[in-house]
Amino acid sequence: MARSVIFLSTPTSASESMFRWLAAIAAQSYRTDRWVDRLLREGRLRDVATEFPPAQDRLVLHRAPQLFNPRTSLSDYRFVLNARDPRDLVCNQYHWQFEHPVPSETSEQTEARRARVAAAGIDHFALAQGNEAYLRRFFEVTRKIAPPDRLFVGYAMFCLGFDTVVERACAFFGLRPEEMTEDQRRRIELERVSNLAANEEWIGHRWAGTDTAPGRHRRELQPETIRILTERHRWFLDFLRRMDDPRVAETYS
Protein backbone atom coordinates (compact mmCIF):
# COMPACT_ATOMS: atom_id res chain seq x y z
CA MET A 1 0.00 0.00 0.00
CA ALA A 2 1.26 3.46 -0.88
CA ARG A 3 0.04 6.91 0.01
CA SER A 4 -2.18 8.37 -2.66
CA VAL A 5 -0.75 11.16 -4.79
CA ILE A 6 -2.96 14.22 -5.26
CA PHE A 7 -2.47 16.17 -8.46
CA LEU A 8 -3.44 19.60 -7.16
CA SER A 9 -3.76 22.13 -9.94
CA THR A 10 -5.17 25.55 -10.58
CA PRO A 11 -7.51 25.32 -13.58
CA THR A 12 -5.39 25.51 -16.73
CA SER A 13 -5.76 24.22 -20.25
CA ALA A 14 -2.89 21.77 -19.65
CA SER A 15 -4.21 20.06 -16.53
CA GLU A 16 -5.83 17.21 -18.48
CA SER A 17 -2.63 16.63 -20.44
CA MET A 18 -0.59 16.64 -17.24
CA PHE A 19 -2.96 14.21 -15.54
CA ARG A 20 -2.78 11.80 -18.49
CA TRP A 21 1.00 12.10 -18.39
CA LEU A 22 1.14 11.41 -14.66
CA ALA A 23 -1.27 8.51 -15.04
CA ALA A 24 1.07 6.94 -17.59
CA ILE A 25 4.08 7.33 -15.30
CA ALA A 26 2.20 6.01 -12.27
CA ALA A 27 0.35 3.25 -14.11
CA GLN A 28 2.17 0.34 -12.49
CA SER A 29 1.38 1.38 -8.91
CA TYR A 30 -1.60 3.79 -8.80
CA ARG A 31 -5.19 3.82 -10.03
CA THR A 32 -6.49 7.13 -11.34
CA ASP A 33 -9.34 8.80 -9.48
CA ARG A 34 -11.06 11.94 -10.83
CA TRP A 35 -12.38 12.55 -7.36
CA VAL A 36 -13.57 16.16 -7.65
CA ASP A 37 -15.13 15.48 -11.06
CA ARG A 38 -16.93 12.47 -9.59
CA LEU A 39 -18.43 14.48 -6.73
CA LEU A 40 -19.45 17.18 -9.21
CA ARG A 41 -21.31 14.62 -11.34
CA GLU A 42 -23.05 13.38 -8.22
CA GLY A 43 -24.17 16.91 -7.37
CA ARG A 44 -21.89 16.99 -4.33
CA LEU A 45 -19.25 19.54 -5.27
CA ARG A 46 -19.58 21.24 -1.87
CA ASP A 47 -18.49 18.00 -0.23
CA VAL A 48 -14.99 18.47 -1.66
CA ALA A 49 -14.44 21.01 1.13
CA THR A 50 -15.40 18.55 3.89
CA GLU A 51 -14.48 15.08 2.65
CA PHE A 52 -11.08 13.51 1.99
CA PRO A 53 -9.77 11.88 -1.18
CA PRO A 54 -8.90 8.18 -1.06
CA ALA A 55 -5.64 7.91 0.87
CA GLN A 56 -4.16 4.72 -0.58
CA ASP A 57 -2.91 3.72 -4.02
CA ARG A 58 -4.68 6.44 -6.00
CA LEU A 59 -3.58 9.20 -8.31
CA VAL A 60 -6.23 11.82 -7.50
CA LEU A 61 -7.15 14.68 -9.83
CA HIS A 62 -8.01 17.82 -7.81
CA ARG A 63 -8.52 20.98 -9.88
CA ALA A 64 -10.47 22.94 -7.28
CA PRO A 65 -7.84 24.22 -4.84
CA GLN A 66 -10.28 26.80 -3.46
CA LEU A 67 -12.29 23.83 -2.10
CA PHE A 68 -9.35 21.89 -0.70
CA ASN A 69 -10.41 20.57 2.71
CA PRO A 70 -8.45 22.51 5.39
CA ARG A 71 -8.73 19.52 7.76
CA THR A 72 -6.82 17.25 5.39
CA SER A 73 -3.83 15.59 7.02
CA LEU A 74 -1.28 16.51 4.37
CA SER A 75 1.16 13.87 5.59
CA ASP A 76 -1.36 11.19 4.55
CA TYR A 77 -0.72 12.06 0.90
CA ARG A 78 1.97 13.04 -1.56
CA PHE A 79 1.41 15.85 -4.05
CA VAL A 80 2.19 16.82 -7.61
CA LEU A 81 1.51 20.55 -7.90
CA ASN A 82 0.73 22.56 -10.99
CA ALA A 83 0.03 26.25 -11.42
CA ARG A 84 0.23 28.69 -14.27
CA ASP A 85 1.05 32.37 -14.52
CA PRO A 86 -2.24 34.03 -13.48
CA ARG A 87 -1.91 36.55 -16.31
CA ASP A 88 -1.98 33.68 -18.79
CA LEU A 89 -4.79 32.02 -16.85
CA VAL A 90 -7.16 34.95 -17.40
CA CYS A 91 -6.45 34.78 -21.14
CA ASN A 92 -7.45 31.11 -21.06
CA GLN A 93 -10.59 31.99 -19.14
CA TYR A 94 -11.54 34.59 -21.75
CA HIS A 95 -11.37 32.04 -24.56
CA TRP A 96 -13.20 29.46 -22.43
CA GLN A 97 -16.19 31.83 -22.39
CA PHE A 98 -16.77 30.99 -26.05
CA GLU A 99 -16.14 27.25 -25.79
CA HIS A 100 -17.00 25.77 -22.39
CA PRO A 101 -20.70 25.01 -21.85
CA VAL A 102 -22.53 26.35 -18.81
CA PRO A 103 -25.21 23.76 -17.98
CA SER A 104 -27.42 26.24 -16.12
CA GLU A 105 -27.73 28.54 -19.17
CA THR A 106 -30.25 28.37 -21.98
CA SER A 107 -28.90 28.70 -25.51
CA GLU A 108 -30.21 32.27 -25.60
CA GLN A 109 -28.42 33.14 -22.36
CA THR A 110 -25.19 31.62 -23.62
CA GLU A 111 -25.37 33.61 -26.84
CA ALA A 112 -26.08 36.84 -24.94
CA ARG A 113 -23.24 36.28 -22.46
CA ARG A 114 -20.74 35.54 -25.19
CA ALA A 115 -21.83 38.65 -27.10
CA ARG A 116 -21.30 40.80 -23.99
CA VAL A 117 -17.85 39.31 -23.33
CA ALA A 118 -16.77 39.76 -26.95
CA ALA A 119 -18.02 43.35 -27.06
CA ALA A 120 -16.13 44.28 -23.88
CA GLY A 121 -12.92 42.62 -25.07
CA ILE A 122 -10.21 40.55 -23.48
CA ASP A 123 -8.59 43.36 -21.47
CA HIS A 124 -11.84 44.27 -19.73
CA PHE A 125 -12.48 40.60 -19.02
CA ALA A 126 -8.96 40.01 -17.65
CA LEU A 127 -9.15 42.93 -15.23
CA ALA A 128 -12.57 41.86 -13.97
CA GLN A 129 -11.58 38.30 -13.02
CA GLY A 130 -11.27 37.37 -9.37
CA ASN A 131 -9.07 34.29 -9.12
CA GLU A 132 -7.79 35.09 -5.65
CA ALA A 133 -9.56 32.12 -4.02
CA TYR A 134 -7.85 29.63 -6.35
CA LEU A 135 -4.43 31.18 -5.94
CA ARG A 136 -4.48 31.81 -2.18
CA ARG A 137 -5.64 28.33 -1.28
CA PHE A 138 -3.13 26.72 -3.64
CA PHE A 139 -0.40 28.85 -2.07
CA GLU A 140 -1.48 28.02 1.49
CA VAL A 141 -1.63 24.27 0.89
CA THR A 142 1.66 24.13 -0.98
CA ARG A 143 3.53 25.91 1.80
CA LYS A 144 2.39 23.31 4.35
CA ILE A 145 3.41 20.20 2.41
CA ALA A 146 6.71 18.69 3.50
CA PRO A 147 9.19 19.23 0.61
CA PRO A 148 9.94 15.49 0.19
CA ASP A 149 6.21 14.90 -0.35
CA ARG A 150 5.73 17.40 -3.15
CA LEU A 151 6.76 17.80 -6.77
CA PHE A 152 6.08 21.10 -8.51
CA VAL A 153 5.54 20.81 -12.27
CA GLY A 154 4.47 24.21 -13.55
CA TYR A 155 2.94 24.84 -16.95
CA ALA A 156 6.03 26.71 -18.14
CA MET A 157 8.45 23.87 -17.47
CA PHE A 158 6.00 21.27 -18.76
CA CYS A 159 5.99 23.10 -22.10
CA LEU A 160 9.66 24.11 -22.27
CA GLY A 161 11.48 21.37 -20.35
CA PHE A 162 9.45 18.23 -20.94
CA ASP A 163 12.31 15.73 -20.66
CA THR A 164 13.41 17.24 -17.35
CA VAL A 165 9.95 17.03 -15.80
CA VAL A 166 9.52 13.45 -17.03
CA GLU A 167 12.75 12.53 -15.28
CA ARG A 168 11.66 14.27 -12.07
CA ALA A 169 8.21 12.70 -12.10
CA CYS A 170 9.63 9.23 -12.65
CA ALA A 171 11.94 9.71 -9.68
CA PHE A 172 9.03 10.99 -7.55
CA PHE A 173 7.02 7.85 -8.33
CA GLY A 174 10.00 5.58 -7.85
CA LEU A 175 10.03 4.50 -11.49
CA ARG A 176 13.35 3.79 -13.19
CA PRO A 177 13.40 4.51 -16.94
CA GLU A 178 14.33 0.93 -17.77
CA GLU A 179 11.20 -0.27 -15.94
CA MET A 180 8.80 1.61 -18.19
CA THR A 181 6.74 -0.40 -20.63
CA GLU A 182 6.44 0.58 -24.27
CA ASP A 183 2.84 1.64 -23.62
CA GLN A 184 3.97 3.96 -20.83
CA ARG A 185 6.61 5.52 -23.08
CA ARG A 186 4.07 6.02 -25.85
CA ARG A 187 1.50 7.62 -23.54
CA ILE A 188 4.09 9.94 -22.01
CA GLU A 189 5.44 11.02 -25.38
CA LEU A 190 1.95 11.87 -26.66
CA GLU A 191 1.78 14.74 -24.14
CA ARG A 192 4.93 16.45 -25.38
CA VAL A 193 3.92 19.84 -26.82
CA SER A 194 5.36 19.06 -30.24
CA ASN A 195 3.24 15.89 -30.44
CA LEU A 196 -0.12 17.31 -29.33
CA ALA A 197 -1.44 17.65 -32.87
CA ALA A 198 -1.35 13.86 -33.13
CA ASN A 199 -2.93 13.35 -29.70
CA GLU A 200 -6.62 12.65 -30.13
CA GLU A 201 -7.26 13.61 -26.49
CA TRP A 202 -5.69 17.06 -26.76
CA ILE A 203 -8.27 19.65 -25.87
CA GLY A 204 -7.17 21.81 -28.79
CA HIS A 205 -8.91 19.40 -31.15
CA ARG A 206 -12.24 20.17 -29.49
CA TRP A 207 -12.02 23.77 -28.35
CA ALA A 208 -10.46 26.85 -29.89
CA GLY A 209 -8.37 29.23 -27.82
CA THR A 210 -5.94 26.67 -26.38
CA ASP A 211 -2.23 27.38 -26.32
CA THR A 212 0.98 25.44 -25.83
CA ALA A 213 3.50 27.89 -24.41
CA PRO A 214 3.84 30.28 -21.47
CA GLY A 215 3.49 34.02 -22.00
CA ARG A 216 0.25 34.32 -23.96
CA HIS A 217 -0.68 37.43 -21.96
CA ARG A 218 2.16 39.29 -23.70
CA ARG A 219 0.59 38.51 -27.06
CA GLU A 220 -3.05 39.13 -26.17
CA LEU A 221 -3.25 41.90 -23.56
CA GLN A 222 -2.45 45.60 -23.71
CA PRO A 223 0.66 46.82 -21.84
CA GLU A 224 -1.38 48.71 -19.23
CA THR A 225 -3.51 45.65 -18.53
CA ILE A 226 -0.35 43.58 -18.08
CA ARG A 227 1.09 46.16 -15.70
CA ILE A 228 -2.04 46.13 -13.52
CA LEU A 229 -2.23 42.33 -13.44
CA THR A 230 1.47 42.03 -12.69
CA GLU A 231 1.12 44.28 -9.67
CA ARG A 232 -2.07 42.53 -8.55
CA HIS A 233 -0.45 39.10 -8.70
CA ARG A 234 3.13 39.94 -7.87
CA TRP A 235 3.00 37.85 -4.68
CA PHE A 236 1.94 34.76 -6.64
CA LEU A 237 4.39 35.39 -9.47
CA ASP A 238 7.19 35.58 -6.90
CA PHE A 239 5.94 32.31 -5.41
CA LEU A 240 5.96 30.61 -8.81
CA ARG A 241 9.44 31.93 -9.54
CA ARG A 242 10.70 30.34 -6.33
CA MET A 243 8.89 27.05 -6.88
CA ASP A 244 9.66 26.54 -10.54
CA ASP A 245 12.86 25.71 -12.37
CA PRO A 246 15.30 28.65 -12.71
CA ARG A 247 15.34 28.07 -16.46
CA VAL A 248 11.77 29.38 -16.77
CA ALA A 249 11.99 32.08 -14.08
CA GLU A 250 11.90 34.89 -16.65
CA THR A 251 8.42 33.85 -17.75
CA TYR A 252 7.09 35.19 -14.43
CA SER A 253 8.58 38.67 -14.84
Side-chain angles (χ1 to χ4, degrees), residues 76 119 176 188 195 197 200 204 226 234 250:
D76 288 347
R176 294 194 297 272
I188 291 167
N195 294 331
E200 293 181 357
I226 295 173
R234 186 171 300 282
E250 76 280 357

Side-chain angles (χ1 to χ4, degrees), residues 18-136:
M18 288 190 184
F19 189 65
R20 291 192 300 267
W21 167 76
L22 289 170
I25 292 173
Q28 296 178 22
S29 303
Y30 296 84
R31 288 194 295 166
T32 58
D33 189 336
R34 295 173 174 271
W35 183 66
V36 173
D37 295 0
R38 176 158 47 86
L39 293 185
L40 175 61
R41 288 195 303 273
E42 296 171 0
R44 298 196 300 122
L45 184 60
R46 290 184 179 182
D47 292 343
V48 173
T50 57
E51 295 187 8
F52 306 107
Q56 298 291 332
D57 300 330
R58 298 291 195 276
L59 174 64
V60 179
L61 177 61
H62 195 312
R63 287 181 294 191
Q66 77 281 11
L67 297 177
F68 191 88
N69 186 345
R71 297 188 297 110
T72 302
S73 176
L74 299 179
S75 62
D76 288 347
Y77 303 88
R78 301 171 74 222
F79 291 81
V80 177
L81 302 158
N82 168 52
R84 188 172 186 185
D85 186 320
R87 300 166 300 182
D88 287 347
L89 175 58
V90 292
C91 294
N92 277 17
Q93 291 171 323
Y94 174 79
H95 292 285
W96 291 347
Q97 294 294 308
F98 306 101
E99 300 291 337
H100 284 235
V102 178
S104 61
E105 288 183 340
T106 65
S107 58
E108 292 80 10
Q109 289 171 328
T110 297
E111 184 178 346
R113 172 179 54 81
R114 290 175 174 173
R116 290 194 302 271
V117 171
I122 190 170
D123 290 273
H124 178 273
F125 179 88
L127 292 173
Q129 293 314 292
N131 291 320
E132 188 78 4
Y134 290 114
L135 305 181
R136 283 288 176 192

